[in-house]
Amino acid sequence: MMNREKEAGQSREGLLQSYQRGESIPLRKSLEDAYRSDSESDIDATEFLDRDPLNDYAQPAVPAYAPAQQLRKLRNAFTRRSKCLLIALAVLILIWSILAGGGFFLYKQKPADGQSPPWYPTPPGGTVTQWSESYKKAAELVKKMTLAEKVNITTGTGWQMGLAVGNTGPANIVGFPGLALQDGPLGLRFADNATALPAGITVGATWNKGLMYRRGKAHGQEARLKGINVLLGPCVGPLGRMPAGGRNWEGFGSDPVLQGIAAAQTIKGIQEEGVIATIKHFVGNEQEHFRQSWEWGLPNAMSSNIDDRTLHEMYGWPFQDSVKAGVASVMCSYQMLNNSYSCGNSKLLNGILKDELGFQGFVQSDWLAQRSGVGSALAGLDMTMPGDGLRWANGQSLWGPELSKAVLNGSLPVSRLNDMVTRVVAAWYQLGSPDDKDKKVVNKFIDVQGTGEDAHSRIARQVATEGTVLVKNEGNILPLSKDGWPALETHAINMRIGIFGEDAGEGRGPNACPDRGCNQGTLGSGWGSGAVEFPYLISPISALKTAFNSDRVYVTDFPTNSPPLKKTPEILKEQDICVVFANSDSGEGFIADAGVRGDRNDLYLQKDGDALIEEIATGCGGGKGSTIVVIHSVGPVIVDKWINLPGVKAVLMANLPGQESGNAIADILIGNQNPSGKLPYTIGKSLDDYGPGAKILYYANGVVPQQTFSEGLYIDYRHFDKNGIAPSFEFGFGLSYTTFGYSNLVVTPVLPKSPFPSPRPAGIPAPEFDSAIPDVKEALLPTGFRKLKNFIYPYINKASDIEKGTYPYPDGYDVIQPPSQAGGDEGGNPDLWNVYANVSVDVTNTGSVPGKEVAQVYLGYPDVLGEASNVDFPVSVLRAFEKIYLVANETRTVNFNLTRRDLSYWDVVRQNWVMPVEGSITIKVGASSRDFRLTGYY
């Protein structure tokens, strides 16, 4: 049997290819080679591919490198090697142990059994009316395809085997093109002349549904004009369980409702442009440490262990919103869910996503997240990306020719392959048939940023502005006048402003490091696959120097975290106003910067930002000046070291503002825009305040690291509320330059309470296909065909490669699974989306300037009776919000619709959403999760 090539320990996003320069980046070598087993070296559908050693139906295999065997090998090596070699080996083991978080010493431990029940077979797509026409067209096309064409559509062509990060092969005979899939959630990765939009966390901080939609539409338009068919965003996983999680900034905040609404609006905007949106990562991808096998020196990824209710009410909630919005693709995540790899978890993909949530599109793997061949196909995976299987860029796929073999030898039902292909083609038709798509000559240098009134920079600037949260404004020091202090002189310098901090300046430029993998200059985004090339990045210094009237205001800048204050103390003493910029960065785990690899090490400001703020606030104006602090961050930061210093008069959380960063913060500081952002997360006084579940697992606790979500529903503000912990600033909080009043709360029942949704609708019949195994000739390599090295084809070399035999299906495959009563349509049972109560409230601008307010609706259950009184409910849960613009003294009535799902909880015994019908559900309306102005009941 042929040994497998060395596994690259890098994630998909770590392989940086500059298509313009034609440079290739070598792969990182993995430590697996020292311990790999010949027993798992063949990539063959009839042996390795039809099982997943860590799938939900199999006992995980014991690693072949058992401790006794390794000790014998080491003992023999010691007798043959010199003392120098032994020392080198010891050093290597020590380094590896450190890098793996102690994982080397845990290899002797046996992985836990899979904890997800089997759910087979995959429900076929095409059972809802919204997709019926697309499935009819798709079925007609698929029936004409050869086996090779079907495999082409479901298998990527391999890493760097196309212009996009992911590419599928075409079905030339029937005229279906190969698809181009491209990162990411805030712009187009590896592209020029495209917009660097604000990150998801900034979008969440706007709480503005209209802006969420407009940003998505601009994103989709740029993807379409660049020739992208499938956009790998938006992102709602991670949800934000751990505030130091490396990729939290790609999502919209630490609440499922905020995430779900933002995702739905984004998806609507993207897909209106004819581009397939991809909601990711499904599900439980909450930290970067141990997210991927071998990336941290361990043979397996970690397992996120989530109970059924928590999965439905928290981590699955925004995915349900996304399916309801019609998302055409779902990306499964790297790590395991309940000790079964997410991309091979039949309960997750077949049972929850495709049956219960009624998902009609296709499931694609994260890049190299697929861990088995036939096993993952049976579990519900429809497309593998980038096509390479267990190794980066080696051309050996778990599907491709192996999928052809699996169909021809009977180990994969033809019906499953037909459904996989039809789902992909139907998604294409759902967003516009091939004849409707733009046909263009590929030009990767095309400018897609828009012009004039349609320039996407305008959207980027507005999102960055509304995504800035004012959390302190003592004495109403803000806004500053661009003309300085009021004075009689028409032309006289009357205010001195000093700008401090590396985060205020250009640094070495926004694109100094690949995938934005370093913290230097002003922080516009996090790093990794979610980052993009900045066409430009307006620094705060450049924008503020332009914003102030230079005849009246003298602005000096010190873009460093180590200004020469002791040597030149006058630079601080002479200032009337000091503006300090500091930040905190993170990103995907394949990049490390300044000791931070993926997840943040803590919640403090980086690069001595806290010390800088203290120094400036203490010495500004000789102790008499006022200091304004601006934070650019991937998530919450601890502010208690300096927030209450007498000199700190104002604090703004500017999140990750994208290319228009400086213009946005200048608009806020001088009052061109009234701040209207609200925190999409809680700012605690310490990491401990967030609870034990908020801690990153930095050190492996098993050969399969286990991260058990024992806190259940209680993350972020829910945890603070339950435990009576006072945060520095609560979820949903944000100040304005004006004030708002709330009055006249009215709760109107629309439908009477009932415990369960209406019975599941029958749906429509799925397309039917011939289930006969095709002729082997359909998959044979054409005569004279010349292969490209490492390009993944669907072809097999000869008919004798097909070994007939009996191939067992996974345990539970023959068990008939009753359809979930929570399902029946896109997003689940249609009754879940019916409005059962309407809430209206009057909001008044009680201040003197126009502004925008975010009215928020939270539910509580202290007064429910009957069996619901024994259910554990959070103190408050967000269920709706609206952002409105009001001029001074204006009053508007704001309406909120509460659906059955909003009012229900997930019953793990009944396996359905249950609405409490006895007693009253409390409805709280206000300006944050702790600022409730009015209370009503349903």
mmCIF file of all heavy atoms in Angstrom, residues 44-52 55 57 120 370-381 398-399 402-403 405-407 409-413 416 420 807-810 813:
data_model
loop_
_atom_site.group_PDB
_atom_site.id
_atom_site.type_symbol
_atom_site.label_atom_id
_atom_site.label_comp_id
_atom_site.label_asym_id
_atom_site.label_seq_id
_atom_site.Cartn_x
_atom_site.Cartn_y
_atom_site.Cartn_z
ATOM 1 N N ASP A 44 -8.751 5.064 -0.518
ATOM 2 C CA ASP A 44 -9.492 4.163 -1.368
ATOM 3 C C ASP A 44 -10.937 4.101 -0.889
ATOM 4 O O ASP A 44 -11.212 3.896 0.293
ATOM 5 C CB ASP A 44 -8.869 2.768 -1.323
ATOM 6 C CG ASP A 44 -9.570 1.809 -2.261
ATOM 7 O OD1 ASP A 44 -9.203 1.796 -3.438
ATOM 8 O OD2 ASP A 44 -10.484 1.098 -1.808
ATOM 9 N N ALA A 45 -11.854 4.263 -1.817
ATOM 10 C CA ALA A 45 -13.261 4.298 -1.443
ATOM 11 C C ALA A 45 -13.735 2.976 -0.875
ATOM 12 O O ALA A 45 -14.671 2.944 -0.076
ATOM 13 C CB ALA A 45 -14.115 4.665 -2.658
ATOM 14 N N THR A 46 -13.127 1.882 -1.266
ATOM 15 C CA THR A 46 -13.607 0.582 -0.805
ATOM 16 C C THR A 46 -13.062 0.181 0.548
ATOM 17 O O THR A 46 -13.515 -0.774 1.138
ATOM 18 C CB THR A 46 -13.217 -0.506 -1.830
ATOM 19 O OG1 THR A 46 -11.793 -0.588 -1.887
ATOM 20 C CG2 THR A 46 -13.765 -0.180 -3.191
ATOM 21 N N GLU A 47 -12.056 0.909 1.052
ATOM 22 C CA GLU A 47 -11.485 0.571 2.358
ATOM 23 C C GLU A 47 -11.570 1.769 3.303
ATOM 24 O O GLU A 47 -12.375 1.809 4.217
ATOM 25 C CB GLU A 47 -10.031 0.123 2.193
ATOM 26 C CG GLU A 47 -9.894 -1.163 1.376
ATOM 27 C CD GLU A 47 -8.433 -1.561 1.228
ATOM 28 O OE1 GLU A 47 -7.607 -1.111 2.034
ATOM 29 O OE2 GLU A 47 -8.124 -2.309 0.302
ATOM 30 N N PHE A 48 -10.727 2.768 3.045
ATOM 31 C CA PHE A 48 -10.618 3.889 3.977
ATOM 32 C C PHE A 48 -11.817 4.825 3.901
ATOM 33 O O PHE A 48 -12.314 5.303 4.908
ATOM 34 C CB PHE A 48 -9.336 4.664 3.686
ATOM 35 C CG PHE A 48 -9.110 5.819 4.619
ATOM 36 C CD1 PHE A 48 -8.643 5.602 5.897
ATOM 37 C CD2 PHE A 48 -9.372 7.111 4.216
ATOM 38 C CE1 PHE A 48 -8.429 6.659 6.747
ATOM 39 C CE2 PHE A 48 -9.160 8.162 5.064
ATOM 40 C CZ PHE A 48 -8.688 7.932 6.329
ATOM 41 N N LEU A 49 -12.320 5.062 2.680
ATOM 42 C CA LEU A 49 -13.279 6.144 2.496
ATOM 43 C C LEU A 49 -14.675 5.820 2.980
ATOM 44 O O LEU A 49 -15.465 6.708 3.237
ATOM 45 C CB LEU A 49 -13.338 6.533 1.015
ATOM 46 C CG LEU A 49 -12.028 7.043 0.447
ATOM 47 C CD1 LEU A 49 -12.227 7.516 -0.960
ATOM 48 C CD2 LEU A 49 -11.482 8.159 1.298
ATOM 49 N N ASP A 50 -15.019 4.525 3.075
ATOM 50 C CA ASP A 50 -16.377 4.226 3.482
ATOM 51 C C ASP A 50 -16.504 4.102 4.990
ATOM 52 O O ASP A 50 -17.473 3.574 5.498
ATOM 53 C CB ASP A 50 -16.875 2.952 2.793
ATOM 54 C CG ASP A 50 -16.010 1.749 3.103
ATOM 55 O OD1 ASP A 50 -14.981 1.923 3.800
ATOM 56 O OD2 ASP A 50 -16.344 0.659 2.655
ATOM 57 N N ARG A 51 -15.502 4.565 5.714
ATOM 58 C CA ARG A 51 -15.622 4.635 7.152
ATOM 59 C C ARG A 51 -14.998 5.943 7.627
ATOM 60 O O ARG A 51 -14.095 6.474 6.999
ATOM 61 C CB ARG A 51 -14.922 3.463 7.835
ATOM 62 C CG ARG A 51 -13.408 3.499 7.638
ATOM 63 C CD ARG A 51 -12.740 2.497 8.566
ATOM 64 N NE ARG A 51 -11.301 2.481 8.375
ATOM 65 C CZ ARG A 51 -10.479 3.356 8.934
ATOM 66 N NH1 ARG A 51 -10.951 4.316 9.668
ATOM 67 N NH2 ARG A 51 -9.180 3.270 8.727
ATOM 68 N N ASP A 52 -15.497 6.422 8.721
ATOM 69 C CA ASP A 52 -14.920 7.598 9.360
ATOM 70 C C ASP A 52 -14.619 7.186 10.789
ATOM 71 O O ASP A 52 -15.530 6.961 11.569
ATOM 72 C CB ASP A 52 -15.915 8.768 9.344
ATOM 73 C CG ASP A 52 -15.330 10.013 9.991
ATOM 74 O OD1 ASP A 52 -14.237 9.949 10.583
ATOM 75 O OD2 ASP A 52 -15.996 11.054 9.923
ATOM 76 N N ASN A 55 -16.593 9.128 13.178
ATOM 77 C CA ASN A 55 -17.929 9.562 12.791
ATOM 78 C C ASN A 55 -18.933 9.138 13.850
ATOM 79 O O ASN A 55 -18.621 8.436 14.806
ATOM 80 C CB ASN A 55 -18.282 8.974 11.424
ATOM 81 C CG ASN A 55 -19.425 9.733 10.774
ATOM 82 O OD1 ASN A 55 -19.841 10.778 11.259
ATOM 83 N ND2 ASN A 55 -19.935 9.204 9.685
ATOM 84 N N TYR A 57 -21.156 7.012 13.801
ATOM 85 C CA TYR A 57 -21.609 5.634 13.836
ATOM 86 C C TYR A 57 -20.485 4.662 14.126
ATOM 87 O O TYR A 57 -20.670 3.450 14.023
ATOM 88 C CB TYR A 57 -22.264 5.264 12.499
ATOM 89 C CG TYR A 57 -21.377 5.435 11.296
ATOM 90 C CD1 TYR A 57 -20.436 4.478 10.944
ATOM 91 C CD2 TYR A 57 -21.489 6.590 10.504
ATOM 92 C CE1 TYR A 57 -19.627 4.657 9.840
ATOM 93 C CE2 TYR A 57 -20.681 6.765 9.409
ATOM 94 C CZ TYR A 57 -19.752 5.794 9.074
ATOM 95 O OH TYR A 57 -18.945 5.955 7.975
ATOM 96 N N TYR A 120 -29.961 8.707 9.111
ATOM 97 C CA TYR A 120 -29.840 8.367 7.691
ATOM 98 C C TYR A 120 -31.214 7.999 7.142
ATOM 99 O O TYR A 120 -32.116 7.648 7.898
ATOM 100 C CB TYR A 120 -28.885 7.178 7.511
ATOM 101 C CG TYR A 120 -27.484 7.418 7.979
ATOM 102 C CD1 TYR A 120 -27.056 6.946 9.217
ATOM 103 C CD2 TYR A 120 -26.568 8.117 7.187
ATOM 104 C CE1 TYR A 120 -25.762 7.162 9.654
ATOM 105 C CE2 TYR A 120 -25.276 8.331 7.621
ATOM 106 C CZ TYR A 120 -24.870 7.857 8.856
ATOM 107 O OH TYR A 120 -23.591 8.078 9.286
ATOM 108 N N GLN A 370 -13.227 17.880 5.485
ATOM 109 C CA GLN A 370 -13.754 16.539 5.230
ATOM 110 C C GLN A 370 -12.768 15.505 5.759
ATOM 111 O O GLN A 370 -11.589 15.563 5.490
ATOM 112 C CB GLN A 370 -13.967 16.344 3.729
ATOM 113 C CG GLN A 370 -14.571 15.006 3.354
ATOM 114 C CD GLN A 370 -14.549 14.768 1.855
ATOM 115 O OE1 GLN A 370 -13.717 15.337 1.145
ATOM 116 N NE2 GLN A 370 -15.446 13.927 1.367
ATOM 117 N N ARG A 371 -13.275 14.528 6.509
ATOM 118 C CA ARG A 371 -12.390 13.530 7.113
ATOM 119 C C ARG A 371 -12.658 12.120 6.625
ATOM 120 O O ARG A 371 -11.971 11.189 7.039
ATOM 121 C CB ARG A 371 -12.531 13.567 8.642
ATOM 122 C CG ARG A 371 -12.319 14.934 9.265
ATOM 123 C CD ARG A 371 -11.013 15.555 8.909
ATOM 124 N NE ARG A 371 -9.877 14.762 9.337
ATOM 125 C CZ ARG A 371 -8.620 14.972 8.946
ATOM 126 N NH1 ARG A 371 -8.342 15.949 8.097
ATOM 127 N NH2 ARG A 371 -7.648 14.211 9.399
ATOM 128 N N SER A 372 -13.644 11.910 5.778
ATOM 129 C CA SER A 372 -13.915 10.595 5.213
ATOM 130 C C SER A 372 -14.588 10.783 3.869
ATOM 131 O O SER A 372 -15.074 11.876 3.559
ATOM 132 C CB SER A 372 -14.807 9.764 6.141
ATOM 133 O OG SER A 372 -16.106 10.316 6.205
ATOM 134 N N GLY A 373 -14.627 9.720 3.074
ATOM 135 C CA GLY A 373 -15.202 9.822 1.743
ATOM 136 C C GLY A 373 -16.652 9.423 1.702
ATOM 137 O O GLY A 373 -17.551 10.261 1.780
ATOM 138 N N VAL A 374 -16.923 8.115 1.603
ATOM 139 C CA VAL A 374 -18.297 7.642 1.565
ATOM 140 C C VAL A 374 -19.034 8.024 2.843
ATOM 141 O O VAL A 374 -20.199 8.414 2.816
ATOM 142 C CB VAL A 374 -18.324 6.107 1.364
ATOM 143 C CG1 VAL A 374 -19.737 5.565 1.536
ATOM 144 C CG2 VAL A 374 -17.800 5.749 -0.018
ATOM 145 N N GLY A 375 -18.337 7.954 3.972
ATOM 146 C CA GLY A 375 -18.971 8.295 5.240
ATOM 147 C C GLY A 375 -19.536 9.700 5.252
ATOM 148 O O GLY A 375 -20.663 9.927 5.693
ATOM 149 N N SER A 376 -18.784 10.679 4.755
ATOM 150 C CA SER A 376 -19.263 12.064 4.761
ATOM 151 C C SER A 376 -20.384 12.261 3.745
ATOM 152 O O SER A 376 -21.301 13.054 3.982
ATOM 153 C CB SER A 376 -18.106 13.030 4.498
ATOM 154 O OG SER A 376 -17.513 12.784 3.236
ATOM 155 N N ALA A 377 -20.321 11.556 2.610
ATOM 156 C CA ALA A 377 -21.397 11.670 1.621
ATOM 157 C C ALA A 377 -22.707 11.142 2.197
ATOM 158 O O ALA A 377 -23.768 11.766 2.048
ATOM 159 C CB ALA A 377 -21.026 10.917 0.348
ATOM 160 N N LEU A 378 -22.654 10.000 2.870
ATOM 161 C CA LEU A 378 -23.859 9.446 3.486
ATOM 162 C C LEU A 378 -24.368 10.343 4.605
ATOM 163 O O LEU A 378 -25.571 10.391 4.876
ATOM 164 C CB LEU A 378 -23.571 8.045 4.026
ATOM 165 C CG LEU A 378 -23.243 6.965 3.000
ATOM 166 C CD1 LEU A 378 -22.864 5.669 3.692
ATOM 167 C CD2 LEU A 378 -24.420 6.738 2.047
ATOM 168 N N ALA A 379 -23.463 11.050 5.258
ATOM 169 C CA ALA A 379 -23.845 11.916 6.374
ATOM 170 C C ALA A 379 -24.426 13.243 5.920
ATOM 171 O O ALA A 379 -24.927 14.008 6.756
ATOM 172 C CB ALA A 379 -22.645 12.164 7.273
ATOM 173 N N GLY A 380 -24.371 13.565 4.631
ATOM 174 C CA GLY A 380 -25.025 14.768 4.144
ATOM 175 C C GLY A 380 -24.139 15.800 3.494
ATOM 176 O O GLY A 380 -24.621 16.846 3.067
ATOM 177 N N LEU A 381 -22.824 15.542 3.381
ATOM 178 C CA LEU A 381 -21.948 16.483 2.685
ATOM 179 C C LEU A 381 -22.205 16.401 1.187
ATOM 180 O O LEU A 381 -22.316 15.309 0.628
ATOM 181 C CB LEU A 381 -20.486 16.153 2.987
ATOM 182 C CG LEU A 381 -19.443 17.132 2.444
ATOM 183 C CD1 LEU A 381 -19.556 18.479 3.135
ATOM 184 C CD2 LEU A 381 -18.029 16.562 2.632
ATOM 185 N N LEU A 398 -10.521 12.722 -1.388
ATOM 186 C CA LEU A 398 -11.399 11.727 -0.780
ATOM 187 C C LEU A 398 -12.603 11.444 -1.671
ATOM 188 O O LEU A 398 -13.276 10.424 -1.493
ATOM 189 C CB LEU A 398 -11.874 12.220 0.594
ATOM 190 C CG LEU A 398 -10.796 12.284 1.689
ATOM 191 C CD1 LEU A 398 -11.309 13.038 2.895
ATOM 192 C CD2 LEU A 398 -10.344 10.902 2.080
ATOM 193 N N TRP A 399 -12.869 12.340 -2.604
ATOM 194 C CA TRP A 399 -13.895 12.122 -3.617
ATOM 195 C C TRP A 399 -13.196 12.072 -4.974
ATOM 196 O O TRP A 399 -12.296 11.276 -5.137
ATOM 197 C CB TRP A 399 -14.979 13.210 -3.534
ATOM 198 C CG TRP A 399 -15.932 12.982 -2.387
ATOM 199 C CD1 TRP A 399 -15.908 11.953 -1.501
ATOM 200 C CD2 TRP A 399 -17.036 13.799 -2.024
ATOM 201 N NE1 TRP A 399 -16.927 12.075 -0.604
ATOM 202 C CE2 TRP A 399 -17.641 13.196 -0.892
ATOM 203 C CE3 TRP A 399 -17.584 14.974 -2.518
ATOM 204 C CZ2 TRP A 399 -18.777 13.735 -0.262
ATOM 205 C CZ3 TRP A 399 -18.693 15.512 -1.897
ATOM 206 C CH2 TRP A 399 -19.287 14.910 -0.786
ATOM 207 N N GLU A 402 -12.236 8.641 -6.406
ATOM 208 C CA GLU A 402 -12.690 7.714 -5.370
ATOM 209 C C GLU A 402 -14.207 7.738 -5.227
ATOM 210 O O GLU A 402 -14.831 6.729 -4.889
ATOM 211 C CB GLU A 402 -12.025 8.057 -4.032
ATOM 212 C CG GLU A 402 -10.507 8.087 -4.068
ATOM 213 C CD GLU A 402 -9.909 6.773 -4.543
ATOM 214 O OE1 GLU A 402 -10.536 5.715 -4.326
ATOM 215 O OE2 GLU A 402 -8.824 6.796 -5.132
ATOM 216 N N LEU A 403 -14.819 8.879 -5.494
ATOM 217 C CA LEU A 403 -16.278 8.959 -5.483
ATOM 218 C C LEU A 403 -16.845 8.182 -6.663
ATOM 219 O O LEU A 403 -17.868 7.497 -6.541
ATOM 220 C CB LEU A 403 -16.729 10.418 -5.525
ATOM 221 C CG LEU A 403 -18.222 10.690 -5.294
ATOM 222 C CD1 LEU A 403 -18.665 10.163 -3.937
ATOM 223 C CD2 LEU A 403 -18.515 12.181 -5.395
ATOM 224 N N LYS A 405 -15.453 5.558 -7.985
ATOM 225 C CA LYS A 405 -15.324 4.157 -7.589
ATOM 226 C C LYS A 405 -16.443 3.751 -6.634
ATOM 227 O O LYS A 405 -17.022 2.665 -6.741
ATOM 228 C CB LYS A 405 -13.973 3.921 -6.908
ATOM 229 C CG LYS A 405 -12.757 4.029 -7.801
ATOM 230 C CD LYS A 405 -11.508 3.788 -6.964
ATOM 231 C CE LYS A 405 -10.237 4.051 -7.755
ATOM 232 N NZ LYS A 405 -9.029 3.842 -6.912
ATOM 233 N N ALA A 406 -16.723 4.625 -5.668
ATOM 234 C CA ALA A 406 -17.725 4.300 -4.659
ATOM 235 C C ALA A 406 -19.096 4.094 -5.280
ATOM 236 O O ALA A 406 -19.866 3.232 -4.842
ATOM 237 C CB ALA A 406 -17.773 5.407 -3.611
ATOM 238 N N VAL A 407 -19.436 4.885 -6.284
ATOM 239 C CA VAL A 407 -20.721 4.715 -6.970
ATOM 240 C C VAL A 407 -20.710 3.429 -7.800
ATOM 241 O O VAL A 407 -21.665 2.643 -7.774
ATOM 242 C CB VAL A 407 -21.022 5.940 -7.853
ATOM 243 C CG1 VAL A 407 -22.247 5.692 -8.727
ATOM 244 C CG2 VAL A 407 -21.233 7.182 -6.998
ATOM 245 N N ASN A 409 -18.895 0.707 -7.429
ATOM 246 C CA ASN A 409 -18.839 -0.542 -6.677
ATOM 247 C C ASN A 409 -20.011 -0.713 -5.717
ATOM 248 O O ASN A 409 -20.091 -1.704 -4.992
ATOM 249 C CB ASN A 409 -17.505 -0.692 -5.932
ATOM 250 C CG ASN A 409 -17.324 0.308 -4.799
ATOM 251 O OD1 ASN A 409 -18.276 0.820 -4.227
ATOM 252 N ND2 ASN A 409 -16.074 0.595 -4.471
ATOM 253 N N GLY A 410 -20.917 0.257 -5.685
ATOM 254 C CA GLY A 410 -22.125 0.131 -4.896
ATOM 255 C C GLY A 410 -22.021 0.576 -3.455
ATOM 256 O O GLY A 410 -22.989 0.474 -2.703
ATOM 257 N N SER A 411 -20.864 1.098 -3.046
ATOM 258 C CA SER A 411 -20.731 1.511 -1.650
ATOM 259 C C SER A 411 -21.396 2.853 -1.379
ATOM 260 O O SER A 411 -21.656 3.195 -0.226
ATOM 261 C CB SER A 411 -19.259 1.554 -1.233
ATOM 262 O OG SER A 411 -18.521 2.445 -2.038
ATOM 263 N N LEU A 412 -21.681 3.631 -2.417
ATOM 264 C CA LEU A 412 -22.456 4.863 -2.283
ATOM 265 C C LEU A 412 -23.661 4.765 -3.208
ATOM 266 O O LEU A 412 -23.502 4.568 -4.419
ATOM 267 C CB LEU A 412 -21.625 6.096 -2.659
ATOM 268 C CG LEU A 412 -22.375 7.431 -2.529
ATOM 269 C CD1 LEU A 412 -22.589 7.779 -1.053
ATOM 270 C CD2 LEU A 412 -21.636 8.563 -3.220
ATOM 271 N N PRO A 413 -24.872 4.892 -2.680
ATOM 272 C CA PRO A 413 -26.055 4.814 -3.536
ATOM 273 C C PRO A 413 -26.037 5.886 -4.616
ATOM 274 O O PRO A 413 -25.667 7.038 -4.361
ATOM 275 C CB PRO A 413 -27.211 5.034 -2.554
ATOM 276 C CG PRO A 413 -26.670 4.696 -1.212
ATOM 277 C CD PRO A 413 -25.216 5.068 -1.253
ATOM 278 N N ARG A 416 -27.858 9.074 -3.685
ATOM 279 C CA ARG A 416 -27.183 10.090 -2.877
ATOM 280 C C ARG A 416 -26.353 10.994 -3.761
ATOM 281 O O ARG A 416 -26.358 12.218 -3.605
ATOM 282 C CB ARG A 416 -26.298 9.396 -1.819
ATOM 283 C CG ARG A 416 -25.424 10.356 -0.990
ATOM 284 C CD ARG A 416 -26.197 11.119 0.093
ATOM 285 N NE ARG A 416 -26.722 12.388 -0.339
ATOM 286 C CZ ARG A 416 -26.171 13.574 -0.108
ATOM 287 N NH1 ARG A 416 -25.038 13.665 0.565
ATOM 288 N NH2 ARG A 416 -26.752 14.677 -0.508
ATOM 289 N N MET A 420 -26.769 15.045 -4.304
ATOM 290 C CA MET A 420 -25.653 15.966 -4.117
ATOM 291 C C MET A 420 -25.531 16.911 -5.296
ATOM 292 O O MET A 420 -25.435 18.145 -5.138
ATOM 293 C CB MET A 420 -24.349 15.171 -3.944
ATOM 294 C CG MET A 420 -24.266 14.373 -2.660
ATOM 295 S SD MET A 420 -23.114 12.971 -2.735
ATOM 296 C CE MET A 420 -21.567 13.822 -3.080
ATOM 297 N N TYR A 807 -20.463 -3.903 0.827
ATOM 298 C CA TYR A 807 -19.936 -2.786 1.604
ATOM 299 C C TYR A 807 -20.960 -2.389 2.655
ATOM 300 O O TYR A 807 -22.067 -1.956 2.330
ATOM 301 C CB TYR A 807 -19.616 -1.599 0.690
ATOM 302 C CG TYR A 807 -18.592 -1.934 -0.351
ATOM 303 C CD1 TYR A 807 -18.972 -2.324 -1.641
ATOM 304 C CD2 TYR A 807 -17.243 -1.905 -0.030
ATOM 305 C CE1 TYR A 807 -18.015 -2.651 -2.586
ATOM 306 C CE2 TYR A 807 -16.282 -2.233 -0.984
ATOM 307 C CZ TYR A 807 -16.678 -2.605 -2.256
ATOM 308 O OH TYR A 807 -15.720 -2.938 -3.187
ATOM 309 N N PRO A 808 -20.608 -2.564 3.909
ATOM 310 C CA PRO A 808 -21.592 -2.273 4.969
ATOM 311 C C PRO A 808 -21.866 -0.785 5.090
ATOM 312 O O PRO A 808 -20.964 0.041 4.988
ATOM 313 C CB PRO A 808 -20.907 -2.818 6.229
ATOM 314 C CG PRO A 808 -19.441 -2.740 5.920
ATOM 315 C CD PRO A 808 -19.318 -3.008 4.449
ATOM 316 N N TYR A 809 -23.133 -0.471 5.308
ATOM 317 C CA TYR A 809 -23.497 0.903 5.602
ATOM 318 C C TYR A 809 -23.315 1.154 7.096
ATOM 319 O O TYR A 809 -23.247 0.205 7.882
ATOM 320 C CB TYR A 809 -24.937 1.174 5.166
ATOM 321 C CG TYR A 809 -25.101 1.273 3.675
ATOM 322 C CD1 TYR A 809 -25.890 0.372 2.968
ATOM 323 C CD2 TYR A 809 -24.447 2.269 2.973
ATOM 324 C CE1 TYR A 809 -26.031 0.460 1.591
ATOM 325 C CE2 TYR A 809 -24.575 2.378 1.595
ATOM 326 C CZ TYR A 809 -25.369 1.470 0.906
ATOM 327 O OH TYR A 809 -25.490 1.573 -0.450
ATOM 328 N N PRO A 810 -23.252 2.390 7.502
ATOM 329 C CA PRO A 810 -23.026 2.674 8.927
ATOM 330 C C PRO A 810 -24.172 2.185 9.799
ATOM 331 O O PRO A 810 -25.302 2.026 9.348
ATOM 332 C CB PRO A 810 -22.907 4.200 8.966
ATOM 333 C CG PRO A 810 -23.533 4.675 7.707
ATOM 334 C CD PRO A 810 -23.289 3.616 6.696
ATOM 335 N N TYR A 813 -28.187 2.956 9.616
ATOM 336 C CA TYR A 813 -28.586 3.390 8.282
ATOM 337 C C TYR A 813 -29.973 2.855 7.919
ATOM 338 O O TYR A 813 -30.711 3.494 7.171
ATOM 339 C CB TYR A 813 -27.558 2.929 7.251
ATOM 340 C CG TYR A 813 -27.740 3.579 5.895
ATOM 341 C CD1 TYR A 813 -27.193 4.835 5.631
ATOM 342 C CD2 TYR A 813 -28.485 2.959 4.886
ATOM 343 C CE1 TYR A 813 -27.361 5.452 4.403
ATOM 344 C CE2 TYR A 813 -28.663 3.564 3.657
ATOM 345 C CZ TYR A 813 -28.101 4.805 3.421
ATOM 346 O OH TYR A 813 -28.273 5.414 2.207
#
